[in-house]
Amino acid sequence: MQEMLRVENLTLSIDGKQVLKGVNFSMNYGEVHMLFGPNGAGKTSFIMALMGFPKYKVDQGRIYFKGEDVTEKDISERSRLGLGISFQRPPTVRGVSLRKFIEIISDGASREETLKIAEKLNLLSHLDRGLNEGFSGGEMKRSELLQLMVQKPDLVFIDEPESGVDLENIALVGEAITTLLGKEDKLKEQKRSAIIITHTGHILDFVNADKGSLIFEGKLICGGNPRDILSEIKKHGYRRCAQCQPSVLTFRT
Amino acid sequence: MSTISTYLSDIRERAKKARDKKAALGPDVDLARYDQHVERGKIESLEGLPQQAREAAVMSGIDVKEEMRSGSYLQVDHSVVYERLNKLHEGKLEIMSTTEALQKYDWLEDYYWRAVPVDQDKYTAQAELKMTHGYFIRVLPHQKPEYPVQACLLVAENHVSQNVHNIIIVEEGAELQVITGCTLSKKDAEGIHLGISEFYVKKGGKLFFTMIHNWADNFHVRPRTWAVIEEDGAFVSNYVLLKPVKSIQAFPVAYLKGDRASAKFNTVVYGLKDSYIDLGSRIILEGQDTRGESIARTIAADESVIYARGDLVAKTKGYCLAHLDCRGIVFSNRGKIFAIPQLISEGALKAELSHEASIGPISEEQVEYLMSRGVSREDAVSVITSGFLNLDIPYLPEVIDRNIKEVIQATAKESM
């Protein structure tokens, strides 16, 4: 398996305050990686920095995507290289309809294909509304996934797909993620890669993740089977889970 | 006839007394500078216009092919050069110059200067004393032409004061869409456009009025507009200004006279160069259960100054509901926006009036959100700005939409 993403010794700060320190991480093409951690641990900061949001300042370290150093590239350049993100709480953009935006970002998806996906995601009636304008939590998540499905990135960051979503909608969101990642496609076909942030682990009921790791107090620690990690967290909490391998302060999958 | 004459002579006397009366708002314009009188010959079709004039007409929303128009009226400088009514609407819709209509219909004195006060200021006075036509459009009771009527008021010569008086009457139960393009064919023309517009929407009638202004650096504009809406009537006014102007000052009024009448103003203004733009809307809610809404989107680029005014005046004895929504973006550190919403209740105990006004930059969060989908920063700003100005105005030709994008692309960089 070929390496798709490599993060070397990454240290991040927001407004001068350090949020992540010395993170090393890598993942291969087609892998799905679950990222666990308590609130404020630095999970969102990690993926936002990988995506290139300037608020998350890289103080030290490098980010390589498909063999290319993207550390200095801006958000849209990274996106065009094949990175994509589903926001936990995307902003509202009035006057720009979801339909129009999809047309702008669509990477070869036909109108029929888009409508088919929108119908599957129960978003047909939202296409002519402003982006995220008056959308419920579940609708926002589905809209994010719809956008990613037409954008077709190679590696997607999905930030807390379950948050603000009722139980009924979690299934729909979970199925949409599975579709997005191409897990329903033939085995030999190239799958999309993902880093998924989760608090509750509910999403593991729908998405088959290959690996998992824990971010705790600004450090990426522990790693292995995502279900085992979740089980440990549920039994003993984040701190104990983080302490189970105290020497592993840098982790490579 | 003697009654008409008395009324008209009284109007004239009032105008004479107001000929030097300065307007309450906007810079004072010396009208004596604009004394050229230019007459033009008739044309056979809008496509037969000289290229420069045709392009100017198109840029102000005019469909020169007239494929999706119920009728057309074109005035160049001081002459009516083209009038056409789609044959389908003969006997249902009337289009002619106001001058002709005044000669044809005695009853027009019941409308002429009945809404706009002739002695409001020197501009209304001049429009009466030196009137140079304007359009008269009337849709007969219960008629609903499918496509809009288009009117173009074009200035092609220097030092002209175009003094038009427009009257639209929507009779009971009728519906009408009107697109008016006011424009210049010479970009360096110096002059003034004085546009008096009196609209009457009868019981249950609906008027959708769109005005596109397409002026230039040395041109002054002073429109004076009143719409009187009777019971169950509706008036929607869309106004678009995307080109520079020396100065413009207008404060159109929708007077909701009848019960359950409604009015909505949509205003899109893009201030360029050193334009002085003072625009507003006033909705007077007199009938019971009346509704009003005024939405303004303004962008001040370059050294432009924009006053965005909005008045909601409740006078009803019953219930009324009205809202003002006024938002602005300043694109340049030399640009200025003054947002001035005003809510007034004159003993209207049940009136519900509200407003939200804001001036602020394009949200960086929105820009980055769009960038995360592969859109460049420049395009993201352009898309968000287009969305900000997007008020979904129907029947606007594609060229206007394109023009909005071009203006944004040329000016938005400065704000980034």
Side-chain angles (χ1 to χ4, degrees), chain A residues 51 53-54 74-76 79-80 85 87 90-92 94-96 101 104-105 132 144 147-148 151, chain B residues 297 327 363-366 368-377 383-384 386-388 390 401 405:
Chain A
M51 197 68 221
F53 285 85
D74 77 13
I75 307 169
S76 62
S79 175
R80 287 197 290 271
I85 185 166
F87 289 78
T92 298
R94 288 191 177 85
V96 180
F101 191 52
I104 293 170
I105 63 173
N132 304 315
E144 291 291 286
Q147 291 172 47
L148 289 170
Q151 189 195 344
Chain B
R297 297 285 180 268
R327 294 182 208 179
S363 147
E364 187 61 20
E365 188 189 12
Q366 291 179 0
E368 289 177 353
Y369 179 58
L370 267 57
M371 287 174 75
S372 75
R373 303 283 184 245
V375 180
S376 71
R377 169 168 286 274
V383 168
I384 294 165
S386 291
F388 173 79
N390 177 19
D401 205 35
K405 288 188 179 76

Side-chain angles (χ1 to χ4, degrees), chain A residues 17 23 37 107 109 143-144 151 209 214:
Chain A
K17 190 183 169 195
V23 170
D107 182 13
S143 162
E144 291 291 286
Q151 189 195 344
L214 172 69

Side-chain angles (χ1 to χ4, degrees), chain A residues 35-55:
Chain A
L35 211 50
F36 301 95
N39 277 333
K43 307 183 296 297
T44 297
S45 299
F46 182 52
I47 60 167
M48 295 298 261
L50 296 182
M51 197 68 221
F53 285 85
K55 182 182 167 189

Side-chain angles (χ1 to χ4, degrees), chain B residues 384-400:
Chain B
I384 294 165
T385 309
S386 291
F388 173 79
L389 296 176
N390 177 19
L391 297 178
D392 283 332
I393 299 172
Y395 286 104
L396 266 199
E398 207 178 292
V399 67
I400 303 294

Side-chain angles (χ1 to χ4, degrees), chain A residues 85-156:
Chain A
I85 185 166
S86 165
F87 289 78
Q88 192 184 343
R89 278 183 293 272
T92 298
V93 188
R94 288 191 177 85
V96 180
S97 69
L98 178 57
R99 187 190 301 275
K100 186 179 176 186
F101 191 52
I102 283 170
E103 276 172 22
I104 293 170
I105 63 173
S106 173
D107 182 13
S110 68
R111 183 171 287 194
E112 290 72 27
E113 191 184 341
T114 302
L115 289 175
K116 209 170 152 185
I117 302 169
E119 188 177 12
K120 195 174 174 188
L121 291 175
N122 203 10
L123 281 172
L124 278 180
S125 60
H126 292 63
L127 288 174
D128 292 316
R129 282 162 65 172
L131 272 179
N132 304 315
E133 193 172 357
F135 286 18
S136 69
E139 288 162 352
M140 274 187 200
K141 304 289 181 192
R142 287 185 269 131
S143 162
E144 291 291 286
L145 294 168
L146 169 61
Q147 291 172 47
L148 289 170
M149 283 182 198
V150 298
Q151 189 195 344
K152 300 178 180 172
D154 299 319
L155 169 58
V156 287

Side-chain angles (χ1 to χ4, degrees), chain B residues 30-220:
Chain B
D30 178 11
L31 294 174
R33 286 175 62 86
Y34 311 115
D35 57 356
Q36 293 298 305
H37 189 83
V38 186
E39 290 288 347
R40 305 273 176 183
K42 296 266 184 194
I43 57 168
E44 291 298 315
S45 76
L46 292 176
E47 289 186 289
L49 273 170
Q51 189 183 348
Q52 217 173 8
R54 192 172 66 238
E55 282 172 8
V58 169
M59 287 306 290
S60 64
I62 300 302
D63 176 3
V64 292
K65 291 184 175 167
E66 301 181 74
E67 282 168 349
M68 291 173 76
R69 296 293 185 261
S70 294
S72 300
Y73 173 95
L74 171 64
Q75 179 165 341
V76 181
D77 295 321
H78 296 136
S79 305
V80 181
V81 302
Y82 185 76
E83 291 166 329
R84 183 181 159 272
L85 176 65
N86 188 319
K87 281 185 180 165
L88 283 173
H89 302 301
E90 277 174 9
K92 300 171 183 172
L93 179 67
E94 292 179 290
I95 304 170
M96 65 187 86
S97 77
T98 305
T99 325
E100 188 186 342
L102 280 167
Q103 287 168 354
K104 188 173 179 179
Y105 296 127
D106 292 352
W107 50 259
L108 200 54
E109 74 154 288
D110 294 338
Y111 301 88
Y112 185 71
W113 289 116
R114 295 289 183 177
V116 177
V118 68
D119 51 4
Q120 181 176 319
D121 52 40
K122 63 200 253 188
Y123 310 114
T124 52
Q126 170 139 321
E128 167 58 20
L129 297 172
K130 297 181 180 177
M131 177 187 175
T132 51
H133 307 293
Y135 56 76
F136 169 81
I137 302 169
R138 178 176 172 234
V139 56
L140 273 66
H142 306 289
Q143 298 301 321
K144 299 173 183 177
E146 185 183 0
Y147 295 120
V149 170
Q150 61 182 359
C152 182
L153 302 167
L154 192 143
V155 176
E157 207 46 71
N158 253 318
H159 299 287
V160 160
S161 175
Q162 191 180 49
N163 314 317
V164 296
H165 193 136
N166 310 311
I167 295 176
I168 298 175
I169 301 172
V170 177
E171 297 286 2
E172 192 172 319
E175 288 183 21
L176 182 66
Q177 301 174 62
V178 177
I179 294 177
T180 298
C182 300
T183 186
L184 295 176
S185 62
K186 284 168 75 173
K187 285 182 181 167
D188 59 349
E190 192 185 331
I192 189 165
H193 168 87
L194 306 176
I196 310 303
S197 296
E198 298 186 287
F199 304 151
Y200 298 91
V201 181
K202 302 289 184 65
K203 184 179 174 183
K206 290 187 174 73
L207 173 60
F208 302 90
F209 181 79
T210 297
M211 180 176 273
I212 296 149
H213 272 179
N214 202 7
W215 305 111
D217 307 19
N218 299 315
F219 213 80
H220 298 281

